[in-house]
Amino acid sequence: MEKKAIRLKVWGCRGSHPTPGLKYVKYGGNTACVEVLTNPGEEKIIFDGGTGLGFLGIKMKRERNIVANIIESHIHQDHKFSIPHFFPLYVKGNEIKIWVTQADTESFEKAKKRKLDLEIITDFYNYPYHHSEFQSVPELKIMHDPSMHIGDYKVDTIRLEHFEGSNAYKVSRNGKSFIYAPDVSDISTNDEKTVEFCKGVDLIIWDSLYTAKEIAKALKFNVRSDKKHSSIESVIKLAHRAGIPRVIHFHHSPLRSDKRLTKLEKMAKRTAHELTGGKVKNKFARDGMIIEI
Ligand SMILES: [Zn+2]
Ligand SMILES: [Zn+2]
């Protein structure tokens, strides 16, 4: 059997706020967290510290001397809520790096006129913990360049539109690659830079919070939803344009129950078939999903 180059686990795929409850069992209720399943002994690579990270931390509680990279798409609360709950912070001898990009620091400082530091990221004053309880003190790392390497994984980043901006990350290894872009406004067909960045990847995990109809309706009332998140249809079009064969729709609206998401997933598959003649295969992310590339 062909050895897969990249394996991922979704720990949280809900947008904006968690959705516990019986109506949200199938797709899950945790906010953004995706783990790259690296080999034992290799550095851990985790995208976003949403509530899914809390459960990943519990799974890791017996592991020792780990190096974990938590790479933030941006620092909205739904993407960093569980960083202070990450179990490995309370175990001695671990190395926890929390990554943001240079653009994050600039946009934060511009909007808030404050320095983006560890205290802001971990927001400790609003948790029942104190920094002194850390057994492994996290380090805030700034990705100054658009590329870096973690072990034999290459990570490239591009800045996308979403309020004050967010990062998409492209991860490549052994000739396979995927992009993680959980919060991004609709990519218009003219966005050449984004299309170029996406070309040639095997899979995208992409913000699909809205439908095209919802965005159009909001625009009618002058609510600029299109400046916040993407529609399912626009992600399919982007994949088709950039020649990407697989899409994982991500950052589901907290307003959507399992019943609604099941219907929308069927609609998304139908749309992909109609728009791309079957060239783009798509699925909705769900908590616990394993993705092999
Ligand atoms: Zn979000
Ligand atoms: Zn956001």
Short mmCIF file of all heavy atoms in Angstrom, two decimals, residues 3 21 35 42 45 47 51 53 57 59 77 80 84 98 146 158 163 172 188 206-207 217 267 277 289:
data_model
loop_
_atom_site.label_atom_id
_atom_site.label_comp_id
_atom_site.label_asym_id
_atom_site.label_seq_id
_atom_site.Cartn_x
_atom_site.Cartn_y
_atom_site.Cartn_z
N LYS A 3 2.48 4.57 0.94
CA LYS A 3 2.61 5.23 2.24
C LYS A 3 2.15 6.69 2.09
O LYS A 3 2.62 7.42 1.23
CB LYS A 3 4.07 5.18 2.69
CG LYS A 3 4.23 5.39 4.16
CD LYS A 3 5.65 5.06 4.60
CE LYS A 3 5.83 5.51 6.03
NZ LYS A 3 6.29 6.88 6.16
N GLY A 21 -23.92 19.71 22.58
CA GLY A 21 -25.35 19.39 22.54
C GLY A 21 -25.67 18.30 21.54
O GLY A 21 -24.90 18.03 20.62
N GLU A 35 -4.54 18.71 13.75
CA GLU A 35 -3.21 18.18 14.06
C GLU A 35 -2.61 17.50 12.83
O GLU A 35 -3.30 16.71 12.17
CB GLU A 35 -3.34 17.15 15.21
CG GLU A 35 -2.03 16.51 15.61
CD GLU A 35 -2.20 15.33 16.57
OE1 GLU A 35 -3.34 14.85 16.77
OE2 GLU A 35 -1.18 14.88 17.10
N GLU A 42 9.02 13.09 16.47
CA GLU A 42 9.10 14.29 15.63
C GLU A 42 8.37 15.43 16.32
O GLU A 42 7.54 15.20 17.20
CB GLU A 42 8.39 14.03 14.28
CG GLU A 42 9.18 13.16 13.33
CD GLU A 42 8.46 12.97 11.98
OE1 GLU A 42 7.25 13.22 11.88
OE2 GLU A 42 9.14 12.54 11.05
N ILE A 45 2.90 19.32 15.06
CA ILE A 45 2.43 20.49 14.30
C ILE A 45 0.91 20.56 14.45
O ILE A 45 0.20 19.62 14.10
CB ILE A 45 2.82 20.39 12.81
CG1 ILE A 45 4.34 20.21 12.65
CG2 ILE A 45 2.33 21.62 12.04
CD1 ILE A 45 4.80 19.90 11.23
N PHE A 47 -2.49 23.14 14.00
CA PHE A 47 -3.02 24.41 13.51
C PHE A 47 -4.19 24.86 14.39
O PHE A 47 -5.19 24.14 14.51
CB PHE A 47 -3.44 24.30 12.04
CG PHE A 47 -2.25 24.23 11.14
CD1 PHE A 47 -1.78 23.02 10.67
CD2 PHE A 47 -1.54 25.38 10.83
CE1 PHE A 47 -0.64 22.95 9.88
CE2 PHE A 47 -0.40 25.34 10.04
CZ PHE A 47 0.05 24.12 9.57
N THR A 51 -11.17 25.12 20.84
CA THR A 51 -11.50 24.20 21.94
C THR A 51 -11.07 22.76 21.63
O THR A 51 -10.87 21.97 22.55
CB THR A 51 -13.00 24.24 22.29
OG1 THR A 51 -13.76 23.83 21.16
CG2 THR A 51 -13.43 25.63 22.72
N LEU A 53 -8.23 21.89 20.78
CA LEU A 53 -6.87 21.72 21.33
C LEU A 53 -6.92 21.16 22.76
O LEU A 53 -6.03 20.41 23.16
CB LEU A 53 -6.12 23.06 21.32
CG LEU A 53 -4.68 23.00 21.83
CD1 LEU A 53 -3.76 22.33 20.80
CD2 LEU A 53 -4.15 24.39 22.17
N GLY A 57 -4.81 17.98 23.93
CA GLY A 57 -3.92 18.05 25.10
C GLY A 57 -4.18 16.91 26.06
O GLY A 57 -3.23 16.33 26.61
N LYS A 59 -5.30 13.99 25.28
CA LYS A 59 -4.75 12.78 24.64
C LYS A 59 -3.23 12.70 24.85
O LYS A 59 -2.65 11.62 24.96
CB LYS A 59 -5.07 12.78 23.15
CG LYS A 59 -4.87 11.43 22.49
CD LYS A 59 -4.48 11.54 21.03
CE LYS A 59 -2.98 11.68 20.85
NZ LYS A 59 -2.54 11.80 19.46
N GLN A 77 -10.74 34.65 19.14
CA GLN A 77 -10.91 33.79 20.32
C GLN A 77 -11.19 32.32 19.98
O GLN A 77 -10.70 31.42 20.65
CB GLN A 77 -12.03 34.37 21.19
CG GLN A 77 -12.06 33.88 22.61
CD GLN A 77 -10.86 34.35 23.42
OE1 GLN A 77 -10.26 35.38 23.13
NE2 GLN A 77 -10.49 33.58 24.41
N LYS A 80 -8.01 30.35 19.64
CA LYS A 80 -6.97 30.31 20.68
C LYS A 80 -7.51 30.01 22.06
O LYS A 80 -6.77 29.96 23.03
CB LYS A 80 -6.17 31.63 20.68
CG LYS A 80 -6.95 32.84 21.19
CD LYS A 80 -6.06 34.07 21.12
CE LYS A 80 -6.70 35.29 21.72
NZ LYS A 80 -6.84 35.27 23.18
N PRO A 84 -4.60 27.98 26.95
CA PRO A 84 -4.28 27.84 28.38
C PRO A 84 -4.71 26.49 28.97
O PRO A 84 -4.26 26.14 30.05
CB PRO A 84 -5.07 28.98 29.03
CG PRO A 84 -5.37 29.92 27.93
CD PRO A 84 -5.52 29.08 26.71
N ILE A 98 4.25 28.85 20.20
CA ILE A 98 3.00 29.36 19.64
C ILE A 98 3.38 30.32 18.52
O ILE A 98 4.02 31.35 18.76
CB ILE A 98 2.15 30.07 20.72
CG1 ILE A 98 1.85 29.09 21.86
CG2 ILE A 98 0.85 30.60 20.11
CD1 ILE A 98 1.26 29.74 23.09
N PRO A 146 7.87 34.16 4.70
CA PRO A 146 6.67 33.43 4.24
C PRO A 146 6.84 31.91 4.25
O PRO A 146 5.90 31.20 3.97
CB PRO A 146 6.47 33.96 2.82
CG PRO A 146 7.76 34.56 2.41
CD PRO A 146 8.50 34.95 3.65
N ILE A 158 0.44 32.74 3.47
CA ILE A 158 -0.02 33.89 2.69
C ILE A 158 -1.08 34.60 3.54
O ILE A 158 -1.79 33.96 4.31
CB ILE A 158 -0.60 33.44 1.32
CG1 ILE A 158 -0.90 34.63 0.41
CG2 ILE A 158 -1.85 32.60 1.49
CD1 ILE A 158 -1.38 34.21 -1.00
N PHE A 163 -11.57 40.36 8.43
CA PHE A 163 -11.42 41.48 9.38
C PHE A 163 -10.05 42.12 9.18
O PHE A 163 -9.76 42.61 8.10
CB PHE A 163 -11.61 41.00 10.82
CG PHE A 163 -13.03 40.63 11.11
CD1 PHE A 163 -13.45 39.32 11.04
CD2 PHE A 163 -13.96 41.60 11.43
CE1 PHE A 163 -14.76 38.98 11.30
CE2 PHE A 163 -15.28 41.27 11.68
CZ PHE A 163 -15.68 39.95 11.62
N SER A 172 3.78 21.10 3.06
CA SER A 172 4.22 20.16 2.03
C SER A 172 5.21 19.17 2.63
O SER A 172 6.02 19.52 3.50
CB SER A 172 4.95 20.87 0.88
OG SER A 172 4.33 22.09 0.59
N SER A 188 -12.50 36.11 -4.63
CA SER A 188 -13.12 36.44 -5.91
C SER A 188 -12.32 35.78 -7.01
O SER A 188 -11.16 35.40 -6.82
CB SER A 188 -13.16 37.95 -6.11
OG SER A 188 -11.89 38.38 -6.53
N TRP A 206 -10.86 24.61 4.02
CA TRP A 206 -11.15 26.02 3.76
C TRP A 206 -12.44 26.47 4.41
O TRP A 206 -13.43 25.73 4.43
CB TRP A 206 -11.24 26.22 2.24
CG TRP A 206 -10.90 27.61 1.79
CD1 TRP A 206 -11.75 28.68 1.78
CD2 TRP A 206 -9.65 28.09 1.28
NE1 TRP A 206 -11.11 29.80 1.30
CE2 TRP A 206 -9.81 29.46 0.98
CE3 TRP A 206 -8.40 27.49 1.04
CZ2 TRP A 206 -8.77 30.24 0.46
CZ3 TRP A 206 -7.38 28.26 0.53
CH2 TRP A 206 -7.56 29.63 0.24
N ASP A 207 -12.40 27.66 4.92
CA ASP A 207 -13.58 28.34 5.49
C ASP A 207 -14.79 28.20 4.54
O ASP A 207 -14.74 28.62 3.39
CB ASP A 207 -13.21 29.82 5.66
CG ASP A 207 -14.32 30.66 6.30
OD1 ASP A 207 -15.47 30.21 6.36
OD2 ASP A 207 -13.99 31.77 6.74
N LYS A 217 -27.72 37.68 0.31
CA LYS A 217 -28.80 38.25 1.12
C LYS A 217 -28.24 39.30 2.09
O LYS A 217 -28.79 40.39 2.25
CB LYS A 217 -29.47 37.13 1.90
CG LYS A 217 -30.84 37.48 2.41
CD LYS A 217 -31.52 36.24 2.94
CE LYS A 217 -32.61 36.61 3.93
NZ LYS A 217 -33.04 35.45 4.71
N MET A 267 -25.78 19.25 -0.75
CA MET A 267 -25.83 20.35 -1.71
C MET A 267 -24.41 20.66 -2.23
O MET A 267 -24.19 20.86 -3.42
CB MET A 267 -26.43 21.59 -1.02
CG MET A 267 -26.50 22.86 -1.86
SD MET A 267 -24.97 23.78 -2.06
CE MET A 267 -24.87 24.69 -0.53
N GLY A 277 -17.63 19.01 -12.98
CA GLY A 277 -17.73 17.72 -13.70
C GLY A 277 -17.06 16.59 -12.95
O GLY A 277 -16.51 15.68 -13.55
N MET A 289 -12.19 13.45 12.45
CA MET A 289 -11.92 13.01 11.07
C MET A 289 -10.41 12.85 10.83
O MET A 289 -9.63 13.71 11.23
CB MET A 289 -12.48 14.06 10.11
CG MET A 289 -12.25 13.81 8.65
SD MET A 289 -12.78 15.30 7.70
CE MET A 289 -14.16 14.65 6.83
#
